[in-house]
Amino acid sequence: MFRAPVVPRARKRSRPADATVSGREGVKFEDVRLYLVERKMGRSRRSFLTQLARSKGFIVEDVLSDDITHVVSEDNQASSLWKWLRECALKNLPDMHVLDVGWFTDSMREGRPVAVETRHLIQETVPTPPEGSAPTAQAVVSQYACQRRTTTENNNKIFTDAFEVLAESYEFNEIEGPCLAFRRAASVLKSLSWAVQCLEATRNVPCLGEHTKAVMEEILRYGRSFEVEKILSDERYRTLKLFTSVFGVGPKTADKWYRGGLRSFSDVLGDRGIRLNRMQQSGFLHYGDISRAVSKAEARALRNIIDEAVHAITPDAVLALTGGFRRGKEFGHDVDFIVTTPELGKEKNLLPSIIKRLTKQRILLYCDYQASTFDMSKLPSYRFEAMDHFAKCFLIMRLEGSQVEGGLHLAEGDSRGWRAVRVDLVAPPMDRYAFALLGWSGSRQFERDLRRFARLERNMLLDNHALYDKTKKEFLAATTERDIFAHLGLEYIEPWQRNA
Ligand code: DCT
Ligand code: MG
C-alpha cells in the first residue's frame, strides 16, 4: 500500500518556507517542494534521498499536501500511482509534476531542479473511452505555454472567448490575479486537440481554477455564461472597450475619459474639448481602416514594400516578419517586422533611413519613431517592461490595392482602392537578433510563460534583449531561437505552434 497521510492545507503554494518543517535552513529553491513516494522506494532510501536533497537546498516535505510541486516516485506502476494520487483528493494535483526518480537524480547531479521533460513524467494511462463518450485528456498538459504546442486551430473557442471577456473586464478594473488566471485558462484550452464536452474530461488539464470551471460549467449547460453576458452589457466595460479600440488609447486614458462622463466617439471628439495627442488623432482619423483586420495577403504586400526599402538602403540588411503573421495567423491587427544589419552598430541608421524613404514615397500616414535606449551594460537589471529598449517605430502605412494579391481586405462598397494599415518595425543590434525575434513573435501568453518558466524552473532571466543565468551569473549567447530553447532545456516550438 502507498502510505502517506494527506493533510489538506489552504495555504498558497508560493509562500516562503516556514519554520514548522524541519531542515529549512539553506533552502535554495523556494518554489520547488518535493514529495518522495515511499512505496517501492522504501523507508531508508527515501530518508537518504530526503537528506541528500535537503543538503542541496531543496525543500522536501514529509507529507503529501497541496503545497507540493513535484511528486517523485521510483519503480511504481503509473496506473497504481495515479490511482493512489487521485484518492488523496488533492486540489492542486493537475498542477503538480508527477515524476520518475530520474528527474530527482538529474537534479541532484546538477545541484538544481532540472527542466521537467516528457521522459521524466509518469503519465497517467487513461482507459480508452467508449465510443461516442466525451474525449479524455490522454497526455499530461504542461502548465507552461512554452511546453505546449498551440496552433491557430482552437477547439474550445466557446470557452476562450468568454475567458477573454472576463480577463479584459478584470484588466479594466486593474485586478491582476483573476485577469491572468483567465488568460492562462484560455491559453491551456487553446492547446487541446479536442473540444471540452464535460468538465470531467479536464481533470488532467492544469490552470483551470474554481471560477474558471464554474464559467465552463455554465457554458456547457446553457451554451452561454451569464457572468460574461452581464459584462458585455455593462456600460463601463462597453465604453472602455470602445475607447481602447482606438490606436493610442490605453485602459488608463479610456478610464479617465469614462470618469469624465464621455461615452462615445462623438463625446470625445465633440465640443467638450478633449486634447488628443498625435497618435490618438491619427487613431481617430484612420479608425475604420485600423480597426479592420489585416489579411495575410496585405501583410505579404507590406513585407514586399519594406523589403524593397530596407535593401535599397542596406543591401545586406536582414528583414523578418514577426508577430501573429509569423505564427501563421490569417488575420492580425497590425504587421510586425524586425530589421537589422549584420554589421553591429550599422542598424542605428536603419529606421530613420526607412522612414525617410517611405515618406518620400508618400505612403507614411503616421510615424512615431523611438530611438534605442538599449545598453548591454545595464542588463540584466532591466525588469520586464511592456516594451524593450530597441529602436522601433509605430507606423500607419498606406497600402494600395494594386500591390495586394487578391485585393485589399475592405468593407463591402469601399471603392477607395487603398487602406491604412498599422505596421511596427523594431531594429535590434544583430547580436540581440534571436532574443528580439523570439520576443516579438508572441503570442503574448507564450512570451509570458517563457519568461515565467525561465525564472521559476531555471533561475534565469529572459527578455527581448538577453538570457541571463542567475546561478552561473552569466549571459547565455544565442544566434537562433533554437539556441534559446536549448539553453532553457525546452523542446523547440515552431512559431506556428506558439499561438498560446
Ligand atoms: N508582445 C509581448 N508583450 C506585449 C506586447 C507584445 O510579448 N505586451 C509581443 C508578442 C507579440 C508581439 O509582441 C507583437 O505584438 P502584437 O502585434 O500586439 O501581437 P500579435 O500576436 O502580432 O497579434 P495581432 O495579430 O493582433 O497583431
Ligand atoms: Mg501583430
Side-chain angles (χ1 to χ4, degrees):
M1 271 303 291
F2 289 93
R3 258 186 326 180
V6 176
V7 181
R9 283 200 232 166
R11 263 180 270 163
K12 280 189 91 167
R13 294 257 302 264
S14 55
R15 79 194 196 300
D18 56 46
T20 58
V21 184
S22 57
R24 279 293 150 84
E25 282 130 64
V27 166
K28 279 204 220 149
F29 314 104
E30 295 273 349
D31 296 308
V32 176
R33 275 156 202 269
L34 310 185
Y35 175 79
L36 306 180
V37 178
E38 191 171 304
R39 185 177 183 258
K40 295 279 168 126
M41 187 183 282
R43 185 171 296 177
S44 59
R45 180 159 159 81
R46 181 182 185 228
S47 162
F48 167 74
L49 295 181
T50 300
Q51 292 314 319
L52 176 70
R54 285 181 180 158
S55 73
K56 288 182 185 280
F58 286 78
I59 298 173
V60 187
E61 304 280 13
D62 297 321
V63 170
L64 181 59
S65 76
D66 274 319
D67 287 346
I68 298 300
T69 57
H70 296 62
V71 177
V72 176
S73 159
E74 190 168 37
D75 290 338
N76 281 299
Q77 242 190 0
S79 56
S80 51
L81 175 68
W82 273 96
K83 183 171 175 291
W84 172 73
L85 285 170
R86 295 249 166 262
E87 284 164 5
C88 292
L90 295 158
K91 266 201 349 234
N92 288 334
L93 184 58
D95 290 339
M96 288 179 196
H97 298 299
V98 179
L99 304 167
D100 180 72
V101 74
W103 174 84
F104 181 92
T105 44
D106 287 355
S107 299
M108 293 307 113
R109 194 179 326 113
E110 296 268 324
R112 64 181 173 89
V114 300
V116 171
E117 291 167 31
T118 316
R119 67 187 166 88
H120 295 132
L121 295 171
I122 302 183
Q123 309 216 7
E124 186 171 20
T125 44
V126 183
T128 320
E131 233 173 281
S133 66
T136 318
Q138 303 275 341
V140 174
V141 181
S142 170
Q143 61 151 316
Y144 293 105
C146 54
Q147 288 187 308
R148 306 190 292 255
R149 293 173 199 275
T150 313
T151 65
T152 51
E153 192 185 313
N154 178 0
N155 296 298
N156 291 288
K157 200 167 179 308
I158 184 168
F159 304 111
T160 58
D161 283 353
F163 293 172
E164 190 41 49
V165 173
L166 287 154
E168 205 165 22
S169 168
Y170 281 114
E171 190 170 29
F172 288 158
N173 292 309
E174 292 180 71
I175 306 174
E176 208 180 336
C179 169
L180 213 58
F182 277 112
R183 294 239 154 93
R184 273 201 195 135
S187 174
V188 80
L189 289 191
K190 282 182 192 171
S191 76
L192 302 180
S193 59
W194 44 279
V196 174
Q197 275 159 4
C198 64
L199 275 189
E200 297 83 83
T202 63
R203 60 192 183 126
N204 284 352
V205 180
C207 313
L208 304 179
E210 268 170 47
H211 191 173
T212 316
K213 284 195 174 167
V215 174
M216 290 175 77
E217 177 89 72
E218 228 180 1
I219 295 173
L220 286 166
R221 192 174 293 181
Y222 306 108
R224 53 200 236 250
S225 155
F226 300 102
E227 191 182 351
V228 168
E229 287 189 356
K230 200 165 150 228
I231 293 170
L232 288 174
S233 62
D234 175 70
E235 191 184 26
R236 181 165 178 274
Y237 174 84
R238 288 167 74 102
T239 311
L240 263 60
K241 183 90 184 143
L242 177 73
F243 289 167
T244 53
S245 71
V246 179
F247 174 52
V249 182
K252 287 222 159 67
T253 306
D255 185 53
K256 197 172 81 192
W257 290 355
Y258 180 82
R259 283 188 283 109
L262 309 180
R263 296 291 181 269
S264 65
F265 287 169
S266 44
D267 286 349
V268 176
L269 301 171
D271 310 330
R272 305 194 22 204
I274 284 286
R275 191 191 288 267
L276 300 175
N277 64 29
R278 212 168 56 84
M279 192 182 250
Q280 293 159 348
Q281 285 172 21
S282 297
F284 276 110
L285 187 62
H286 301 290
Y287 184 78
D289 275 348
I290 299 177
S291 56
R292 196 173 173 76
V294 184
S295 72
K296 218 181 212 175
E298 289 169 335
R300 267 198 297 267
L302 281 158
R303 191 201 159 96
N304 292 340
I305 294 168
I306 304 286
D307 190 74
E308 193 273 332
V310 174
H311 289 105
I313 295 158
T314 311
D316 60 354
V318 177
L319 171 70
L321 179 67
T322 64
F325 287 110
R326 182 164 184 243
R327 302 196 308 275
K329 275 174 65 173
E330 290 296 324
F331 291 97
H333 94 283
D334 66 358
V335 193
D336 308 286
F337 296 100
I338 291 185
V339 289
T340 189
T341 52
E343 204 180 314
L344 270 182
K346 230 177 136 189
E347 81 284 346
K348 286 206 174 85
N349 296 323
L350 207 49
L351 290 184
S353 305
I354 296 170
I355 291 164
K356 217 187 229 168
R357 194 176 167 91
L358 300 179
T359 309
K360 236 188 208 160
Q361 295 173 339
R362 305 173 75 87
I363 54 175
L364 216 49
L365 302 173
Y366 171 84
C367 172
D368 173 12
Y369 170 67
Q370 299 183 356
S372 168
T373 53
F374 175 65
D375 179 353
M376 194 66 194
S377 70
K378 292 221 172 98
L379 291 177
S381 59
Y382 287 143
R383 284 283 148 263
F384 183 74
E385 296 156 34
M387 277 293 162
D388 55 52
H389 291 252
F390 300 131
K392 56 178 72 67
C393 54
F394 307 108
L395 311 175
I396 300 178
M397 287 180 63
R398 181 186 164 109
L399 183 60
E400 300 294 331
S402 56
Q403 293 171 301
V404 182
E405 202 186 322
L408 288 166
H409 180 239
L410 290 176
E412 223 166 288
D414 184 339
S415 56
R416 285 174 302 162
W418 68 275
R419 68 165 290 186
V421 182
R422 275 271 302 111
V423 174
D424 288 344
L425 305 180
V426 195
M430 194 60 191
D431 60 345
R432 306 289 106 207
Y433 177 79
F435 299 101
L437 181 64
L438 181 59
W440 275 81
S441 292
S443 67
R444 279 165 200 235
Q445 199 56 41
F446 190 87
E447 302 298 334
R448 263 189 209 123
D449 275 5
L450 263 177
R451 296 188 292 262
R452 190 164 64 96
F453 178 87
R455 199 178 65 243
L456 298 180
E457 306 288 337
R458 299 289 181 270
N459 201 27
M460 293 181 186
L461 293 175
L462 173 70
D463 62 16
N464 288 7
H465 314 103
L467 178 62
Y468 181 74
D469 187 326
K470 284 170 74 179
T471 313
K472 294 186 187 155
K473 295 194 172 53
E474 64 183 30
F475 287 101
L476 305 176
T479 50
T480 65
E481 287 180 319
R482 280 181 193 276
D483 295 342
I484 303 170
F485 279 87
H487 284 314
L488 290 169
L490 284 169
E491 282 176 29
Y492 182 67
I493 309 279
E494 300 281 355
W496 52 273
Q497 297 169 328
R498 298 180 203 162
N499 287 286

